[in-house]
Amino acid sequence: MKLTIHGAARQVTGSMHLLEVENYKILIDCGLDYERDRHLHTNEDFPFNPADIDVVILTHAHIDHSGNLPTLIRLGYEGQILSTAPTADLTELLLLDSVSIFMNKAHKGRKHSRNRGKQSNSSQPLYLQKHVMDTMERFVTIGFNKPFRLTGDIELTFIPAGHLLGAAAAVLKINDNGEEKTIAFTGDIGRKNYPVLNDPEPLPAVDYLVSEATYGGRYHTKGKTVEEALVETIDQACIKEQGRLIIPAFSIGRTQSLVFALNKIFSSGLLPPVKVFVDSPMAVMATRIFRKYHYLVNGEAQEFYNKKGDEFEFDNLTYVETLKDSRQVSNYFEPCIIISSAGMLEGGRIQDHLFYNIQNYYCTILFIGYCAKGTLGHRLLRGDPIVHIKDRDLAVYATIKQTDVLSAHGDHDDLMANVLSQDKNKLKNVFLVHGETSSMEALAATIEEAGYRATVPEKGVDYIL
């Protein structure tokens, strides 16, 4: 049995792991690598022949795990894609959104080339809507905790991982030349007591663990609930200052958890009513998927639904769908909360709201997620006094805040808990992926201090298991 980490090795994006058992090749995740020093089309350079892959297992829908599937199929992959049902539905939304982003970049690239009098193919879309539809036809969905036999020697089980609706750890039980071996791929590990989502379930004892390390060496703020942190900020920004609060949030997962938290705040009377706009067509579609799989949300959300109704609807909440209505939000001059994507401010309608409010002294911008280096969100968080938005340099007069109470990733302690639940005498190695090198090294050091073996693999190196 051979494991090769082809993506998210000593970096966060582009998750892609190849497991070979005899001549059977399993690809776990096929994410888009969008590190800032990479060109988009390097995603076409697979280190293997896509036609040689026998099956793909997808842990969850986020683009850094699913976003290169259409390229894999466009270049020759002909097999199935195995995932949970919510993951399949959310993946379709995200892949179609990727096509829109590619097309916008291609349009801007062609315009730039014409202005310079040169022709360029560098901005061509990585894939088109047709390729997304071809991809969705390959999905075969499997329920949680229901063993699924890939071959006579290989069995797959999806274990709930929290983090996102439908997210799963993939556990493989393998008969390798008469010897039973087990390996688990965590995907991304969620955190406990997260709004809407269930807690991650413990993994069974395995021989090998491929674990994400996003928050290795980092810890979430303790002592405040999601509601307490939001109440504090909303009270200051919208009640005392009578201003507006803008919250950049990813449309799938983060927005639904935020809306539920706001619903609890206003329905329980913790704050007087404040108008809330969710300005994201994708958030509207994603919320429909959350409703479709309502039986998979956590007990708190289900109890709220039974007692008070839809956790994603409340008085003073408006879902903004059309661009015309989005522009009208800027003309709403009463105190309000605007939730819009994208979370790192690198596109989407959030840029319009920033353009009109970044110089507003009575505006607060609250970041509820990670912002990668080089993004507009990162520049605001580090305190840049002037930022470039929509071809203009604008002074930053708005108040910039950040909270990690809505981070959907488990922190260092959560990652360690996942390792410590394993049998020390059985677990032979923990391979760390999906994190910055410093995060992986910090987590590896703690794992080894606890008496386990940890490896921070190099990209493309084979490990015989």
Side-chain angles (χ1 to χ4, degrees):
M1 189 164 77
K2 182 169 70 175
L3 173 69
T4 313
I5 307 300
H6 286 302
R10 299 174 184 252
Q11 67 178 50
V12 175
T13 68
S15 288
M16 187 167 61
H17 318 308
L18 182 63
L19 184 67
E20 299 176 67
V21 183
E22 299 270 340
N23 295 318
Y24 193 79
K25 297 183 179 181
I26 306 168
L27 192 67
I28 298 89
D29 289 340
C30 188
L32 206 60
D33 183 341
Y34 47 86
E35 300 293 315
R36 295 194 69 82
D37 61 344
R38 307 277 200 283
H39 189 279
L40 177 65
H41 282 271
T42 59
N43 284 279
E44 295 176 313
D45 302 329
F46 289 102
F48 48 77
N49 182 355
D52 291 341
I53 301 298
D54 291 288
V55 70
V56 173
I57 297 170
L58 180 61
T59 60
H60 66 285
H62 282 147
I63 284 296
D64 57 332
H65 293 257
S66 71
N68 213 22
L69 285 169
T71 314
L72 187 78
I73 287 169
R74 179 171 64 81
L75 296 180
Y77 175 63
E78 297 180 344
Q80 296 175 335
I81 301 168
L82 307 179
S83 77
T84 65
T87 291
D89 286 357
L90 293 174
T91 296
E92 182 174 4
L93 275 186
L94 284 163
L95 293 180
L96 289 173
D97 184 61
S98 286
V99 172
S100 297
I101 293 170
F102 296 156
M103 297 301 287
N104 286 336
K105 286 184 177 179
H107 174 72
K108 290 179 181 177
R110 287 192 293 270
K111 183 178 179 181
H112 182 69
S113 296
R114 283 197 301 270
N115 291 340
R116 296 179 61 188
K118 295 181 180 180
Q119 294 293 321
S120 172
N121 294 320
S122 61
S123 298
Q124 288 302 306
L126 188 62
Y127 47 80
L128 303 173
Q129 183 172 330
K130 171 191 180 300
H131 303 120
V132 174
M133 294 301 99
D134 290 343
T135 300
M136 298 317 300
E137 289 178 1
R138 306 295 181 85
F139 272 81
V140 173
T141 60
I142 304 168
F144 286 118
N145 295 305
K146 294 183 178 179
F148 181 88
R149 194 154 287 282
L150 303 183
T151 70
D153 292 324
I154 305 172
E155 181 182 271
L156 164 69
T157 304
F158 281 133
I159 307 295
H163 183 68
L164 179 67
L165 187 71
V171 179
L172 291 159
K173 185 186 294 184
I174 298 162
N175 180 355
D176 187 18
N177 291 317
E179 181 183 355
E180 183 177 286
K181 298 176 182 177
T182 51
I183 181 169
F185 296 82
T186 66
D188 285 350
I189 300 169
R191 57 194 295 193
K192 294 180 179 178
N193 303 314
Y194 192 79
V196 180
L197 300 179
N198 282 301
D199 291 351
E201 289 187 10
L203 296 176
V206 297
D207 297 302
Y208 301 96
L209 180 64
V210 181
S211 173
E212 67 120 324
T214 315
Y215 268 80
R218 292 187 288 165
Y219 301 85
H220 292 311
T221 302
K222 303 290 192 293
K224 280 187 182 178
T225 67
V226 171
E227 289 77 27
E228 286 169 345
L230 289 174
V231 164
E232 185 179 293
T233 301
I234 296 167
D235 183 50
Q236 182 65 37
C238 300
I239 309 301
K240 292 176 181 174
E241 295 182 359
Q242 291 286 293
R244 56 178 49 195
L245 174 63
I246 296 177
I247 306 178
F250 294 108
S251 299
I252 295 179
R254 202 70 56 91
T255 291
Q256 288 72 35
S257 295
L258 177 58
V259 166
F260 178 40
L262 292 174
N263 195 349
K264 288 191 287 181
I265 288 169
F266 292 120
S267 66
S268 61
L270 290 173
L271 287 173
V274 176
K275 185 69 177 177
V276 178
F277 297 100
V278 175
D279 189 7
S280 165
M282 187 187 292
V284 173
M285 292 184 282
T287 301
R288 291 181 188 134
I289 293 173
F290 272 70
R291 291 188 179 112
K292 176 180 176 181
Y293 297 102
H294 197 262
Y295 64 93
L296 289 176
V297 302
N298 66 19
E300 181 193 28
Q302 296 201 29
E303 183 180 1
F304 186 97
Y305 179 86
N306 292 332
K307 290 183 177 178
K308 298 185 178 181
D310 191 341
E311 63 266 45
F312 306 120
E313 287 285 355
F314 56 89
D315 292 342
N316 288 321
L317 171 66
T318 298
Y319 287 96
V320 181
E321 296 198 47
T322 70
L323 193 55
K324 179 182 177 182
D325 290 340
S326 175
R327 288 168 179 158
Q328 288 299 314
V329 173
S330 295
N331 297 323
Y332 186 86
F333 296 111
E334 297 296 319
C336 64
I337 300 169
I338 301 170
I339 304 166
S340 188
S341 62
M344 298 187 195
L345 314 185
E346 289 297 292
R349 292 182 182 178
I350 188 68
Q351 290 215 339
D352 290 326
H353 297 299
L354 287 174
F355 184 80
Y356 293 113
N357 289 282
I358 199 74
Q359 296 181 305
N360 177 2
Y361 285 102
Y362 294 96
C363 174
T364 298
I365 300 168
L366 175 65
F367 288 91
I368 60 172
Y370 171 76
C371 288
K373 290 181 181 178
T375 62
L376 176 56
H378 182 261
R379 291 194 290 275
L380 285 173
L381 284 171
R382 75 183 178 190
D384 285 18
I386 297 173
V387 291
H388 192 75
I389 305 174
K390 299 179 72 170
D391 298 324
R392 283 187 60 185
D393 289 327
L394 301 173
V396 179
Y397 300 141
T399 300
I400 310 298
K401 291 187 175 182
Q402 185 178 32
T403 179
D404 62 5
V405 293
L406 275 159
S407 169
H409 276 279
D411 68 4
H412 186 90
D413 286 341
D414 296 315
L415 296 170
M416 276 305 302
N418 202 46
V419 175
L420 294 172
S421 68
Q422 291 291 314
D423 182 347
K424 195 176 295 185
N425 296 318
K426 180 176 175 62
L427 185 63
K428 298 179 177 65
N429 205 344
V430 181
F431 296 92
L432 298 178
V433 298
H434 196 290
E436 296 172 355
T437 301
S438 58
S439 297
M440 293 182 179
E441 289 175 347
L443 185 58
T446 309
I447 289 171
E448 290 179 343
E449 285 171 9
Y452 297 85
R453 182 183 174 195
T455 297
V456 180
E458 295 282 355
K459 184 175 182 178
V461 173
D462 297 338
Y463 294 88
I464 305 301
L465 307 181

mmCIF file of all heavy atoms in Angstrom, residues 19 34 47 112 118 147 175 184 285:
data_model
loop_
_atom_site.group_PDB
_atom_site.id
_atom_site.type_symbol
_atom_site.label_atom_id
_atom_site.label_comp_id
_atom_site.label_asym_id
_atom_site.label_seq_id
_atom_site.Cartn_x
_atom_site.Cartn_y
_atom_site.Cartn_z
ATOM 1 N N LEU A 19 -3.855 7.083 -2.880
ATOM 2 C CA LEU A 19 -3.600 5.839 -2.160
ATOM 3 C C LEU A 19 -3.663 4.696 -3.165
ATOM 4 O O LEU A 19 -4.666 4.542 -3.879
ATOM 5 C CB LEU A 19 -4.653 5.633 -1.062
ATOM 6 C CG LEU A 19 -4.452 4.408 -0.164
ATOM 7 C CD1 LEU A 19 -3.202 4.577 0.701
ATOM 8 C CD2 LEU A 19 -5.682 4.173 0.710
ATOM 9 N N TYR A 34 -4.878 27.289 -5.121
ATOM 10 C CA TYR A 34 -4.913 28.717 -5.451
ATOM 11 C C TYR A 34 -3.979 29.525 -4.549
ATOM 12 O O TYR A 34 -4.278 30.638 -4.143
ATOM 13 C CB TYR A 34 -6.335 29.271 -5.436
ATOM 14 C CG TYR A 34 -7.195 28.908 -4.250
ATOM 15 C CD1 TYR A 34 -7.154 29.664 -3.087
ATOM 16 C CD2 TYR A 34 -8.081 27.837 -4.309
ATOM 17 C CE1 TYR A 34 -7.948 29.345 -2.004
ATOM 18 C CE2 TYR A 34 -8.891 27.512 -3.226
ATOM 19 C CZ TYR A 34 -8.824 28.270 -2.079
ATOM 20 O OH TYR A 34 -9.624 27.953 -1.006
ATOM 21 N N PRO A 47 0.209 15.030 -11.530
ATOM 22 C CA PRO A 47 1.427 14.215 -11.492
ATOM 23 C C PRO A 47 1.143 12.742 -11.786
ATOM 24 O O PRO A 47 1.950 11.882 -11.454
ATOM 25 C CB PRO A 47 1.918 14.416 -10.053
ATOM 26 C CG PRO A 47 0.689 14.692 -9.276
ATOM 27 C CD PRO A 47 -0.255 15.410 -10.194
ATOM 28 N N HIS A 112 -7.638 43.478 -20.862
ATOM 29 C CA HIS A 112 -6.296 43.975 -20.571
ATOM 30 C C HIS A 112 -5.361 43.732 -21.763
ATOM 31 O O HIS A 112 -4.561 44.600 -22.130
ATOM 32 C CB HIS A 112 -5.751 43.280 -19.318
ATOM 33 C CG HIS A 112 -4.394 43.747 -18.902
ATOM 34 N ND1 HIS A 112 -4.163 45.006 -18.403
ATOM 35 C CD2 HIS A 112 -3.176 43.120 -18.919
ATOM 36 C CE1 HIS A 112 -2.879 45.142 -18.129
ATOM 37 N NE2 HIS A 112 -2.264 44.010 -18.424
ATOM 38 N N LYS A 118 -1.917 43.045 -27.227
ATOM 39 C CA LYS A 118 -1.354 41.699 -27.264
ATOM 40 C C LYS A 118 -2.453 40.670 -27.074
ATOM 41 O O LYS A 118 -3.478 40.925 -26.462
ATOM 42 C CB LYS A 118 -0.302 41.524 -26.160
ATOM 43 C CG LYS A 118 0.932 42.398 -26.329
ATOM 44 C CD LYS A 118 1.906 42.126 -25.193
ATOM 45 C CE LYS A 118 3.158 42.992 -25.344
ATOM 46 N NZ LYS A 118 4.125 42.730 -24.247
ATOM 47 N N PRO A 147 -20.857 1.379 5.826
ATOM 48 C CA PRO A 147 -19.742 0.827 5.049
ATOM 49 C C PRO A 147 -20.130 0.595 3.594
ATOM 50 O O PRO A 147 -21.220 0.101 3.298
ATOM 51 C CB PRO A 147 -19.430 -0.491 5.764
ATOM 52 C CG PRO A 147 -19.918 -0.290 7.160
ATOM 53 C CD PRO A 147 -21.141 0.569 7.032
ATOM 54 N N ASN A 175 -7.665 -4.931 2.847
ATOM 55 C CA ASN A 175 -6.971 -6.215 2.893
ATOM 56 C C ASN A 175 -5.792 -6.114 1.927
ATOM 57 O O ASN A 175 -5.960 -6.191 0.709
ATOM 58 C CB ASN A 175 -7.923 -7.348 2.489
ATOM 59 C CG ASN A 175 -7.250 -8.709 2.521
ATOM 60 O OD1 ASN A 175 -6.042 -8.823 2.758
ATOM 61 N ND2 ASN A 175 -8.014 -9.755 2.267
ATOM 62 N N ALA A 184 -7.282 6.593 7.771
ATOM 63 C CA ALA A 184 -8.333 7.605 7.793
ATOM 64 C C ALA A 184 -7.797 8.924 7.249
ATOM 65 O O ALA A 184 -6.668 9.319 7.557
ATOM 66 C CB ALA A 184 -8.860 7.804 9.209
ATOM 67 N N MET A 285 -29.142 29.921 -2.188
ATOM 68 C CA MET A 285 -29.216 28.542 -2.703
ATOM 69 C C MET A 285 -28.660 27.548 -1.691
ATOM 70 O O MET A 285 -29.203 26.449 -1.510
ATOM 71 C CB MET A 285 -28.464 28.455 -4.036
ATOM 72 C CG MET A 285 -29.137 29.230 -5.158
ATOM 73 S SD MET A 285 -28.323 29.036 -6.765
ATOM 74 C CE MET A 285 -26.924 30.143 -6.565
#
